[in-house]
Amino acid sequence: MNPKASSTARRFRLALLTGGGDCPGLNAVIRSAARTAFGLGWEVFGIEDGFEGLLTKRARQLHPRDVRGILHLGGTILGTSNRVNPFQTERRGADSAPPRAEDRSGEVVRNFKAMGFDALVAIGGDGTLGIALRLAKMGIPVVGVPKTIDNDIECTSVTFGFDTAVSTATDAIDKLHPTAEAHGRVIVVELMGRNAGFIALNSGVAGGADVILIPEIPFDMERVCDKIRAREKRHGGNYFSIVVVAEGARSKGGVVHLRAADRRGAPRLGGIGQWVAEEIEKGTGKETRSLVLGHLQRGGPPTTFDRLLGTRFGAAAVRAVRDGDFEVMVALNPPQIVRIPLGTAVGAGRTKKVTPESDVVLSARGLGISFGD
Ligand code: F6P
């Protein structure tokens, strides 16, 4: 159906979906997209729990009252899932038989049409947008909105959710400083980010960390210990240090640390902070503590920056639908919001990483922060 048609029997029906891990600012996007669509005279539907809702035909119509008062709320009013890929769903076999992977993408396309939707705004990270791209190729008119606290999506200078996560992490580092200093201890804080070090890098620099370990710069434990010893020597006695470690960081020649797999068997990053803390204690003899900031980084109200970016993304996505410009992702190319072909942004499993020569890394090095290399 043509989004611009005004005198047709039924109104244009826009579906919204949030997929992958939640992040602050999702509700700002939902509110903005819905309100912009209402302004165009469209009907708006919220698909529940990401692609799971398209497999099980669960969606509800959103009215202005449903998107009122949600701008400042974390989470997503639609629910989300980071384990459902319609191209690879799990089909349980008989009792003890292991589950088999099954492609149910055709069902998703049929359900989308049967539910009477005309276009989909998919709000998610590289996983969700990668699925959206494949569904677009199968005939679903899709516009993508990039979200993730990890900031690891290509073609957008930043994703919403990242600023809030960095603020939360910086706040944690600020709070660790006085207790580390009071006891002359080393405190290691492990932060999220998957295989990208943006959260650790930005919060580490903003929070005045002494050592920052990120996936893009493999580290040597001896160099990390050198830095801690040097600080102690310079201050002539028992002295504190703050070490920030991205969950995907690894030592030179080492491997990433994984926690026990989740209930579907998917590996989860984590555990490097504890390992680094133990190695520091062994290498320097200094009392060392570690903590994992975890899902606190995904919670709380979005910052002003994330609310604004989410609002701009949501409205821009609806304008793309209105223009019939599909298989694109809205992106920030300051100061503009632009449209990027989805394939360029997330095709072939592409993700963004910290550039070791970037100005943030260079500035951090200039300030004496060690990357352990
Ligand atoms: O991608 C967002 C993220 O929070 C990552 O930083 C982290 O590795 C992962 O999701 C955690 O996923 P889960 O919520 O499934 O534990």
Side-chain angles (χ1 to χ4, degrees):
M1 183 182 171
N2 178 356
K4 292 176 194 156
S6 55
S7 57
T8 44
R10 74 167 182 83
R11 294 194 287 156
F12 190 83
R13 291 176 147 209
L14 178 70
L16 308 177
L17 165 156
T18 53
D22 71 314
C23 91
L26 282 169
N27 285 324
V29 180
I30 294 167
R31 170 182 175 271
S32 168
R35 288 178 67 155
T36 308
F38 296 147
L40 292 167
W42 301 353
E43 290 181 347
V44 180
F45 292 80
I47 295 166
E48 294 174 0
D49 302 330
F51 289 109
E52 200 169 308
L54 273 180
L55 278 171
T56 49
K57 285 194 169 173
R58 279 186 295 114
R60 61 181 192 270
Q61 186 165 2
L62 298 178
H63 300 282
R65 65 174 176 275
D66 299 310
V67 295
R68 194 171 295 142
I70 64 169
L71 176 59
H72 62 292
L73 300 180
T76 159
I77 61 164
L78 301 180
T80 186
S81 161
N82 59 0
R83 299 281 178 246
V84 177
N85 176 351
F87 291 90
Q88 226 178 338
T89 62
E90 260 183 21
R91 169 77 73 187
R92 293 232 157 254
D95 296 341
S96 55
R100 281 181 297 115
E102 189 183 18
D103 182 352
R104 293 176 64 192
S105 54
E107 213 175 313
V108 162
V109 176
R110 283 194 297 280
N111 288 350
F112 184 85
K113 289 186 178 148
M115 289 161 99
F117 301 144
D118 297 302
L120 173 67
V121 169
I123 311 160
D126 62 323
T128 300
L129 297 181
I131 293 168
L133 171 63
R134 293 176 73 182
L135 292 174
K137 303 272 181 223
M138 294 171 72
I140 295 188
V142 174
V143 172
V145 176
K147 81 75 242 202
T148 167
I149 63 164
D150 305 332
N151 193 34
D152 61 354
I153 299 184
E154 283 283 10
C155 303
T156 183
S157 76
V158 72
T159 51
F160 69 88
F162 174 64
D163 186 64
T164 308
V166 170
S167 298
T168 300
T170 304
D171 182 50
I173 296 168
D174 285 349
K175 286 175 174 155
L176 292 172
H177 260 101
T179 172
E181 186 161 15
H183 289 264
R185 283 173 174 160
V186 178
I187 299 192
V188 179
V189 54
E190 177 184 308
L191 300 176
M192 283 185 166
R194 289 200 305 179
N195 300 311
F198 292 104
I199 298 177
L201 176 63
N202 285 24
S203 63
V205 173
D210 306 297
V211 178
I212 301 175
L213 305 177
I214 58 175
E216 295 83 351
I217 307 178
F219 60 91
D220 179 340
M221 229 23 256
E222 206 32 51
R223 297 281 82 72
V224 174
C225 291
D226 283 348
K227 171 70 186 178
I228 289 163
R229 286 189 212 104
R231 277 174 61 77
E232 189 122 309
K233 194 162 169 213
R234 183 150 33 94
H235 292 91
N238 191 27
Y239 202 64
F240 80 100
S241 291
I242 300 287
V243 178
V244 171
V245 191
E247 63 182 359
R250 60 184 169 80
S251 58
K252 286 181 183 164
V255 290
V256 291
H257 284 240
L258 297 175
R259 297 184 189 288
D262 69 10
R263 66 192 162 89
R264 289 188 173 83
R268 297 160 58 222
L269 285 168
I272 182 80
Q274 174 65 25
W275 182 81
V276 166
E278 284 166 13
E279 292 298 308
I280 289 173
E281 200 157 272
K282 269 192 251 161
T284 64
K286 279 198 65 66
E287 194 178 22
T288 305
R289 298 283 188 267
S290 74
L291 82 153
V292 179
L293 200 58
H295 289 79
L296 278 177
Q297 294 158 95
R298 294 231 301 253
T303 57
T304 305
F305 181 89
D306 282 338
R307 288 179 208 191
L308 181 59
L309 185 59
T311 300
R312 293 176 72 194
F313 275 171
V318 171
R319 291 198 298 274
V321 174
R322 177 203 61 195
D323 296 345
D325 197 359
F326 296 115
E327 214 177 303
V328 296
M329 177 186 91
V330 294
L332 179 64
N333 183 2
Q336 305 295 338
I337 301 289
V338 294
R339 298 172 192 167
I340 306 283
L342 255 179
T344 306
V346 297
R350 209 164 289 128
T351 57
K352 184 168 73 179
K353 301 244 186 208
V354 170
T355 309
E357 300 77 31
S358 66
D359 82 280
V360 189
V361 175
L362 294 182
S363 303
R365 288 193 193 278
L367 291 171
I369 296 173
S370 165
F371 287 87
D373 57 338

